Amino acid sequence: MNQNWIQLLPEVLSSQLDKGYQLKKILGNISWLFVDRLLRMGLELVVGMLVARYLGPSQFGLFNYAIAFVSIFGVIAALGLDSIVVRELVNHSERQASILGTTFILKTGGSIIAWLLTIYISYLFIFPDRSQVHWLICITASILFFKPSDTVDFWFQSRTQSKYTALVTSTTFILFATFRLGLIAFKLPLTVFALAGLLEAVLRSVGLIIVSIKEGLPFKQAKFCHQTAKQLIIDGFPLIFSAFLIMIYMRVDQIMLAEMAGSTEVGLYSSAVKLAESWYFVSLIIVPSVFPNLLETKQVSESAFLSKLQSLYNFMAISSYFISVPVTVCSGWIVYVLFGPEYSNAAPMLSILIWTTVFVNLGVARNSFLTAMNWTRLSFMTIAIGCVINIALNILLIPLYGGIGAAISTLIAYGFATYISCFMIRELAYTAKMLTKSIFFPIKI
């Protein structure tokens, strides 16, 4: 357990198994994901900055309010299957046709339910005179109908071939980033920006299907299997609630800000959130790429598995510090340059929110461990703790400090969900020790 964090890549990514994933293949997979995410992050910042400047804090706040609302209920469309499907495809490759076919059908049903629930709840709880918000929610929620195409991405992940997903996603994103610049040039209304997001989802889905056919995904053999569906639902059921709670404590602050402080404060807060969340890509690239290797290592040696997991935690922590410290120091300058003086009050929010990167990156890595152990109920428990704390602190702090109060609430909630909660659950006592080491001593002296 005393490995230097710098040893992470050769330790975690290499495998001594005859059937393991080769280092070159995994590093190639990470490279594609890194370039894809870095490209999109840069474009998203530039285009997002221009859209925010064009719309202004109030309209930008309404736009992000709609996105946050849909995100909370949209997790139902995933059915908690994402990492579970990848796990099943790795462990039971002989059944990939039934796993893929069943996953697609389940996610289609989940998408329909999620859309209906989102629309119903929005009309039930949002004031009827806010017609623009209803339209924004309706358009944004329609993106859920194209979530079943993510089944293709799971297949590529299980084969460590995420470059194909990266190519499709990047190409689509670049096209619609250019399209959004055109919307700004022609001074089109907010609703059209929401429609652009829907069209982007359509094109990405079509692209994924075309590429997967060319790469040999067994569409013709895909079939629905009741037994497979039952097992996927049983395994994914706790993760549905976990994902739902994750979205609540990731997005409820924006909804509560809108109701308690107004759309302008949401616009300021959302700009800080976008800047902070743009750095979450580190864990979303590294962890999915090494996850199949961790699963295979666990089947052979528990001690080797834990050793690699500790190295993964260390790497997640130190990479987060390299991001959080400079962003905190330069937050005022970053916000001013990217969003302009109109958003200057977002700088202190960014200084606080950027530290959520530490707990998000560690949380993604920790959840890979919980999935490998099939401890999804524990994931649900930790997230529930964070969700309750976030809502309670929002009620207390938003009336006093606005967006800054929401930022403080989010950071504390993330800390509890990822780290502190491990001290409260007996099975995660050793995980708490590992996370403590990665947070406070990630580098071997």
Side-chain angles (χ1 to χ4, degrees):
M1 297 293 180
N2 294 322
Q3 295 141 305
N4 191 306
W5 69 272
I6 299 175
Q7 295 175 311
L8 171 74
L9 290 180
E11 286 295 324
V12 175
L13 301 181
S14 62
S15 175
Q16 301 302 318
L17 302 174
D18 292 337
K19 297 182 180 180
Y21 286 80
Q22 296 179 353
L23 177 61
K24 181 179 178 181
K25 187 176 183 181
I26 299 177
L27 286 175
N29 191 68
I30 291 176
S31 299
W32 275 102
L33 288 172
F34 183 81
V35 171
D36 166 60
R37 187 54 186 156
L38 200 61
L39 174 64
R40 287 194 290 128
M41 184 182 73
L43 278 175
E44 191 171 9
L45 281 176
V46 173
V47 176
M49 168 197 70
L50 294 174
V51 170
R53 284 173 176 257
Y54 168 69
L55 294 176
S58 181
Q59 288 280 290
F60 190 60
L62 287 177
F63 189 29
N64 282 279
Y65 176 87
I67 293 173
F69 193 92
V70 173
S71 297
I72 289 177
F73 298 99
V75 297
I76 297 173
L79 295 177
L81 298 180
D82 295 12
S83 58
I84 289 175
V85 172
V86 176
R87 182 193 71 192
E88 293 301 300
L89 288 171
V90 171
N91 293 338
H92 306 286
S93 58
E94 74 282 357
R95 296 195 291 112
Q96 69 171 1
S98 64
I99 293 172
L100 292 171
T102 303
T103 300
F104 185 85
I105 297 299
L106 290 176
K107 288 179 75 69
T108 299
S111 296
I112 295 172
I113 294 172
W115 186 87
L116 291 172
L117 184 62
T118 302
I119 300 303
Y120 175 73
I121 297 295
S122 69
Y123 276 93
L124 194 64
F125 289 102
I126 297 178
F127 296 119
D129 59 333
R130 298 168 69 177
S131 58
Q132 185 181 24
V133 177
H134 286 301
W135 275 110
L136 289 173
I137 290 175
C138 186
I139 294 170
T140 305
S142 298
I143 294 174
L144 299 174
F145 290 122
F146 303 94
K147 288 296 183 182
S149 64
D150 287 344
T151 305
V152 173
D153 183 34
F154 305 153
W155 184 67
F156 282 131
Q157 284 186 45
S158 70
R159 295 160 59 91
T160 323
Q161 293 179 332
S162 293
K163 65 179 181 180
Y164 298 108
T165 304
L167 282 171
V168 171
T169 304
S170 292
T171 302
T172 306
F173 185 82
I174 291 171
L175 287 174
F176 278 87
T178 306
F179 181 65
R180 287 182 177 89
L181 294 179
L183 299 182
I184 295 173
F186 287 99
K187 299 182 178 180
L188 294 177
L190 176 57
T191 306
V192 182
F193 286 87
L195 286 170
L198 175 58
L199 292 175
E200 182 178 354
V202 174
L203 186 61
R204 177 182 179 274
S205 296
V206 173
L208 282 175
I209 292 172
I210 292 174
V211 170
S212 64
I213 292 174
K214 290 184 177 180
E215 292 303 314
L217 190 151
F219 272 109
K220 293 183 179 180
Q221 289 78 33
K223 58 184 178 181
F224 181 83
C225 174
H226 288 87
Q227 186 60 36
T228 300
K230 180 181 178 180
Q231 189 59 50
L232 288 175
I233 291 173
I234 291 174
D235 288 348
F237 193 71
L239 293 180
I240 296 176
F241 292 99
S242 296
F244 184 71
L245 291 177
I246 286 173
M247 277 301 164
I248 287 180
Y249 80 76
M250 284 185 69
R251 299 295 178 230
V252 75
D253 43 10
Q254 296 179 46
I255 294 175
M256 295 179 74
L257 267 175
E259 302 300 331
M260 301 169 72
S263 60
T264 299
E265 193 74 3
V266 178
L268 296 172
Y269 183 78
S270 297
S271 64
V273 168
K274 285 186 177 298
L275 290 172
E277 290 184 353
S278 64
W279 294 102
Y280 293 174
F281 75 95
V282 174
S283 60
L284 298 178
I285 288 174
I286 298 294
V287 175
S289 295
V290 304
F291 186 55
N293 178 261
L294 287 174
L295 289 174
E296 290 193 345
T297 302
K298 184 179 181 299
Q299 293 174 358
V300 172
S301 171
E302 189 74 19
S303 61
F305 169 72
L306 292 174
S307 177
K308 289 186 177 184
L309 186 62
Q310 181 67 68
S311 294
L312 180 59
Y313 288 153
N314 292 349
F315 185 81
M316 290 295 101
I318 200 66
S319 62
S320 300
Y321 293 145
F322 274 121
I323 294 166
S324 301
V325 173
V327 171
T328 300
V329 174
C330 303
S331 60
W333 179 82
I334 292 171
V335 170
Y336 182 84
V337 170
L338 294 180
F339 291 93
E342 200 174 7
Y343 287 83
S344 59
N345 288 338
M349 303 177 199
L350 175 60
S351 296
I352 298 168
L353 288 170
I354 193 62
W355 288 95
T356 61
T357 305
V358 177
F359 299 112
V360 169
N361 287 348
L362 286 173
V364 173
R366 188 206 63 181
N367 286 340
S368 71
F369 163 71
L370 296 181
T371 301
M373 300 295 292
N374 203 22
W375 285 354
T376 52
R377 63 181 180 84
L378 300 183
S379 177
F380 172 77
M381 291 171 62
T382 61
I383 293 167
I385 292 171
C387 183
V388 171
I389 289 173
N390 194 20
I391 293 176
L393 289 177
N394 276 331
I395 294 173
L396 177 65
L397 297 179
I398 287 178
L400 297 175
Y401 306 110
I404 293 177
I408 294 172
S409 301
T410 298
L411 178 58
I412 294 174
Y414 276 46
F416 264 87
T418 298
Y419 178 51
I420 303 299
S421 62
C422 293
F423 291 94
M424 305 165 64
I425 301 173
R426 179 176 54 81
E427 294 93 331
L428 297 183
Y430 192 73
T431 298
K433 180 180 178 180
M434 295 176 73
L435 292 177
T436 299
K437 180 178 179 180
S438 66
I439 292 172
F440 297 104
F441 309 103
I443 301 177
K444 180 181 179 182
I445 304 301

